[in-house]
Amino acid sequence: RKEVEQDPGPFNVPEGATVAFNCTYSNSASQSFFWYRQDCRKEPKLLMSVYSSGNEDGRFTAQLNRASQYISLLIRDSKLSDSATYLCVVTGGGNKLTFGTGTQLKVEL
Amino acid sequence: GAGVSQSPSNKVTEKGKDVELRCDPISGHTALYWYRQSLGQGLEFLIYFQGNSAPDKSGLPSDRFSAERTGGSVSTLTIQRTQQEDSAVYLCASSWEPQHFGDGTRLSIL
C-alpha cells in the first residue's frame, strides 16, 4: 500500500461547481498534513496546511480525519484558474514529507 | 535571489554519461530534499538531508544515484551511467512547512 494515496482524476467540473478531493495515508503516526497545488510544468506550491480542527481559506476548506486516516480538500465556486493538480502531503518520521501522486482538476466553461 | 536555485535548468546527455545536478537552497534552511517527476507522473522522493544527520536515502532508485550536501548548504545529485528512464524533472526543495521548490532541472537522456 502506498504511504499516501489519491485518486488521479481528472475531475472535470463546470465553473462554479463544488468539488472535493480525498487523500488517504497509511502511517497513523503522521503529524502534519498539507495540500499543494502544481500547475502544468511548474513546481508545487503550498496551498494550505490541514489542521485537526479543519480550516478554511476563502473558497478552500481542508479537513483531517485521523480515525479514518484521510484528509480532504473542498473547493467551492470553482474558477477556471483552479485547474491544476492538487497534491496531498503528509509528514512521517523526522519531518520527511511524502507526496501523493496528485489529483488533476479541470474546470471548464 | 532569495529562492532555491537549481542548475542547470536543462540538461541533455547521451545514455551512459554521468550527470551532476546542483541545488542551492535558501540560506539558513537546514532541510533539503530531492525529488524527481517523470512526464505525467507524481513527485517521487529521492533523498532528504536534515542538518548534520545522516541523509535519508530511501528513495534513491538505484546505486547509480547519489547525493551529497557540503557544508550544510549546496547539494549535488549525481547520476552515473545514465539510462533513458532517468529522463525527468529533478526538483530540489528546502525547509518543509512550506517547502520552497527550485524551478527544477529537466534532464533528457538520448
Side-chain angles (χ1 to χ4, degrees):
Chain A
R1 182 184 173 186
K2 289 183 182 177
E3 289 185 64
V4 179
E5 294 202 60
Q6 295 183 251
D7 181 342
F11 284 58
N12 299 309
V13 302
E15 226 181 349
T18 296
V19 61
F21 312 132
N22 281 344
C23 163
T24 58
Y25 60 94
S26 60
N27 185 354
S28 59
S30 298
Q31 290 297 315
S32 299
F33 309 88
F34 309 92
W35 283 102
Y36 276 68
R37 170 192 169 131
Q38 186 174 26
D39 292 288
C40 188
R41 297 175 71 84
K42 299 283 191 182
E43 73 279 13
K45 287 183 164 54
L46 179 68
L47 178 64
M48 59 197 304
S49 302
V50 186
Y51 303 122
S52 297
S53 55
N55 47 300
E56 189 173 307
D57 182 1
R59 297 181 294 108
F60 299 82
T61 301
Q63 292 197 312
L64 167 64
N65 185 319
R66 285 192 183 273
S68 300
Q69 293 182 208
Y70 77 83
I71 67 173
S72 64
L73 177 68
L74 181 79
I75 305 175
R76 290 181 299 279
D77 188 23
S78 52
K79 312 289 185 193
L80 292 174
S81 57
D82 294 334
S83 297
T85 296
Y86 291 83
L87 299 162
C88 169
V89 185
V90 175
T91 57
N95 286 338
K96 185 182 111 179
L97 279 85
T98 300
F99 281 75
T101 52
T103 298
Q104 188 179 10
L105 172 66
K106 296 181 180 179
V107 181
E108 302 163 333
L109 286 171
Chain B
V4 177
S5 178
Q6 289 189 246
S7 61
S9 54
N10 284 284
K11 176 73 176 177
V12 180
T13 193
E14 293 178 348
K15 177 181 170 181
K17 300 285 189 184
D18 296 352
V19 294
E20 274 192 2
L21 313 180
R22 178 188 167 106
C23 172
D24 203 337
I26 294 171
S27 178
H29 283 189
T30 57
L32 187 148
Y33 298 74
W34 282 99
Y35 301 91
R36 73 175 176 181
Q37 191 166 33
S38 302
L39 188 63
Q41 302 296 310
L43 280 177
E44 178 186 2
F45 166 77
L46 297 177
I47 187 168
Y48 164 46
F49 296 90
Q50 174 58 62
N52 295 321
S53 303
D56 179 346
K57 303 179 182 180
S58 59
L60 294 178
S62 78
D63 58 9
R64 297 187 294 105
F65 288 71
S66 62
E68 61 178 25
R69 189 178 184 191
T70 53
S73 181
V74 172
S75 177
T76 303
L77 177 69
T78 301
I79 309 173
Q80 296 178 307
R81 306 181 301 282
T82 52
Q83 303 294 313
Q84 287 186 331
E85 62 263 28
D86 299 336
S87 296
V89 175
Y90 288 80
L91 287 164
C92 174
S94 71
S95 189
W96 69 281
E97 185 179 356
Q99 283 214 307
H100 299 266
F101 283 84
D103 291 338
T105 295
R106 297 186 185 283
L107 177 64
S108 300
I109 310 299
L110 302 178

